[in-house]
Amino acid sequence: MTIESSAGILVSDRKRRHAIVAATIGNGLEWFDFTVYGFFAALISRQFFPKEDPLTAILLTVTVYGVGFCMRPVGAIVLGVYADRHGRKAALTITILTMALGTALLGFAPTYAQAGVFGAVVLMLARLIQGFSAGGEVGSATSYLVEYARPAERGLAASWQQTSQALAVVLGGLCGVAITQFLPQEAVESWGWRVPFWFGLLIGPVGLYIRARLDETPVFSAETTRKSASPLFETLSAHGRGVASGFGVTILWTVCTYVLLFYMPLYVEKFLKIPAKDAFISTTLGGIVLMLGCPIAGRLSDRIGRKTLLLMAAIAIGVLVIPLFAWLSANPTLPVLIVVQVILGLLLAAFTGPAPALLAEQFPAALRSTGLSLAYNFAVALFGGFAALIVTLLIEKTGLTIAPSFYVAAAALVSVLTLATMRDRTGQAID
């Protein structure tokens, strides 16, 4: 059976499914490598920084985590432009190779006891390399998914971008559960924390194999598709509104992702005194809810419109996040934590499932990867990468354990105002 792609080009149903599955798996492996650092921040802080001042060690650890995001705009520009000039497949191959290199450095970095500050330098270099790789991933992978989709199914197809990130959360959480449940604490502290990075290094070749077998998108390959001589300049000059709108939407997307998922194990262990194993269990469940909810939300957005669904989700997050954190702070138990993360996971799925398609639809094919990469990664670098540092400082300065919810609520307000002014191109021709 043949179907129409996003640009009206005939593509077999089997080829389309293969492309989407392969892109999703490769993307999930890539994001596992990038995000697993956040899950083990508490353990890493004790290995790479002096133990005399635990708070300073935590702050330095999350700062190194944020440093990786400083390179994401660089990766967005370099790899986004590369994808619009040379193809989505070529850019995705580069991202998996550079991510594997950064993961290898993390897995074998010497600790503070072994090499002093040199270990922290290796840690920072690894995060910079990973950040560069991640900067090119979202734009290229989302463009790939959208360009293989039918116009009436772009929301569903692009939602697999966020679904694969949720898969990374689940894998990271399961690694945390396994390590903390089955290894003695001494082993966890000495070498167990390295296991996820070793695992991430092993799956690098798998991701490379998958991406080497991808076909270029029919939209990019078509002779009728215009190629821009200067994707960066043309994007900024002709589609500045699309970049600004995507930036505003991504603020809530990235703040929710990095506060409500990746920061939670560190937050509940340090500030709510919930055991690490319980934190990993709840985060894994939250990731599963997000993973299952994103495709549903993406498909729903194809029916009712992306702008409508994102507005509803953003308002709900802004209204509910503070009461939910207050409830958790007053009742720091595993059951309450699970309920909070499941509720927030559902709302996050409703927002982030349709968001990739909404951003992709703001740009034509010749500039899609560049425009999407710029909008997404600059917002992630500014508001997501240092989210852990910002909310940790908020807690310390205010003395309130619910302070992270203030940051999320503020991000929701910005994204609501942005969405109110955006164009909804659900189901419309975009090439």
Side-chain angles (χ1 to χ4, degrees):
M1 177 181 178
T2 58
I3 62 168
E4 244 186 352
S5 74
S6 186
I9 301 169
L10 292 178
V11 181
S12 71
D13 194 37
R14 179 177 176 275
K15 186 173 183 179
R16 180 182 66 88
R17 284 198 304 268
H18 170 76
I20 290 176
V21 170
T24 301
I25 293 173
N27 201 45
L29 299 181
E30 170 99 355
W31 285 108
F32 173 84
D33 282 358
F34 183 74
T35 57
V36 73
Y37 180 102
F39 283 106
F40 293 88
L43 286 169
I44 290 171
S45 70
R46 297 193 288 269
Q47 299 300 318
F48 288 89
F49 301 101
K51 299 179 181 179
E52 291 76 19
D53 188 348
L55 175 60
T56 300
I58 286 291
L59 290 174
L60 288 171
T61 304
V62 296
T63 299
V64 171
Y65 181 70
V67 162
F69 289 78
C70 293
M71 283 296 289
R72 289 187 63 161
V74 179
I77 293 171
V78 174
L79 296 175
V81 169
Y82 185 83
D84 282 334
R85 283 180 173 170
H86 303 285
R88 318 318 186 193
K89 175 183 175 178
L92 289 171
T93 301
I94 292 175
T95 63
I96 202 75
L97 287 171
T98 51
M99 185 63 74
L101 174 60
T103 303
L105 289 175
L106 284 171
F108 295 99
T111 64
Y112 184 82
Q114 295 169 333
V117 296
F118 178 71
V121 172
V122 175
L123 207 65
M124 186 171 296
L125 176 61
R127 289 300 295 171
L128 289 171
I129 294 172
Q130 287 190 319
F132 177 84
S133 172
E137 179 69 19
V138 170
S140 300
T142 304
S143 296
Y144 190 92
L145 291 167
V146 164
E147 290 170 6
Y148 259 108
R150 288 182 288 194
E153 295 180 352
R154 284 198 298 259
L156 174 61
S159 72
W160 293 105
Q161 155 64 238
Q162 184 63 23
T163 301
S164 64
Q165 292 193 35
L167 173 62
V169 173
V170 173
L171 290 175
L174 289 174
C175 281
V177 170
I179 290 168
T180 54
Q181 290 279 8
F182 300 114
L183 290 179
Q185 187 61 29
E186 297 78 14
V188 172
E189 294 281 347
S190 62
W191 59 268
W193 63 272
R194 295 185 187 269
V195 171
F197 300 107
W198 294 339
F199 176 67
L201 180 60
L202 289 174
I203 62 180
V206 177
L208 181 61
Y209 173 78
I210 290 172
R211 292 195 166 171
R213 294 172 63 84
L214 290 176
D215 292 324
E216 187 53 76
T217 70
V219 175
F220 188 87
S221 301
E223 293 182 2
T224 55
T225 299
R226 180 183 66 86
K227 307 297 190 297
S228 174
S230 180
L232 179 60
F233 176 78
E234 189 175 344
T235 297
L236 294 176
S237 60
H239 296 276
R241 178 182 174 182
V243 173
S245 297
F247 180 92
V249 170
T250 303
I251 289 175
L252 180 58
W253 180 356
T254 188
V255 167
C256 282
T257 299
Y258 289 101
V259 172
L260 303 181
L261 288 175
F262 298 120
Y263 181 70
M264 286 300 276
L266 173 62
Y267 167 71
V268 300
E269 180 183 356
K270 176 170 176 55
F271 296 105
L272 301 184
K273 308 305 179 185
I274 296 176
K277 60 178 181 172
D278 290 348
F280 283 123
I281 290 172
S282 68
T283 300
T284 302
L285 292 174
I288 291 173
V289 169
L290 180 62
M291 184 173 65
L292 297 177
C294 280
I296 297 173
R299 189 70 186 104
L300 182 60
S301 77
D302 287 323
R303 297 179 180 277
I304 69 173
R306 285 178 248 299
K307 181 176 176 178
T308 299
L309 184 55
L310 265 74
L311 269 172
M312 292 169 58
I315 292 170
I317 291 170
V319 170
L320 293 176
V321 67
I322 294 177
L324 286 171
F325 265 73
W327 181 41
L328 176 61
S329 181
N331 303 274
T333 62
L334 178 59
V336 174
L337 177 61
I338 289 174
V339 172
V340 168
Q341 288 213 269
V342 167
I343 293 173
L344 292 174
L346 287 170
L347 295 176
L348 183 56
F351 189 86
T352 62
L358 180 76
L359 267 63
E361 289 167 336
Q362 305 304 307
F363 307 99
L367 307 171
R368 183 166 296 129
S369 185
T370 300
L372 209 161
S373 295
L374 288 173
Y376 180 83
N377 285 289
F378 274 85
V380 170
L382 292 173
F383 298 98
F386 290 98
L389 177 62
I390 291 169
V391 296
T392 300
L393 290 173
L394 276 175
I395 294 170
E396 291 299 318
K397 295 297 183 182
T398 64
L400 300 172
T401 54
I402 67 169
S405 64
F406 303 157
Y407 189 50
V408 176
L413 177 60
V414 173
S415 290
V416 166
L417 295 175
T418 301
L419 284 162
T421 66
M422 284 189 74
R423 296 172 295 179
D424 191 344
R425 303 188 65 183
T426 303
Q428 299 177 13
I430 57 174
D431 294 294

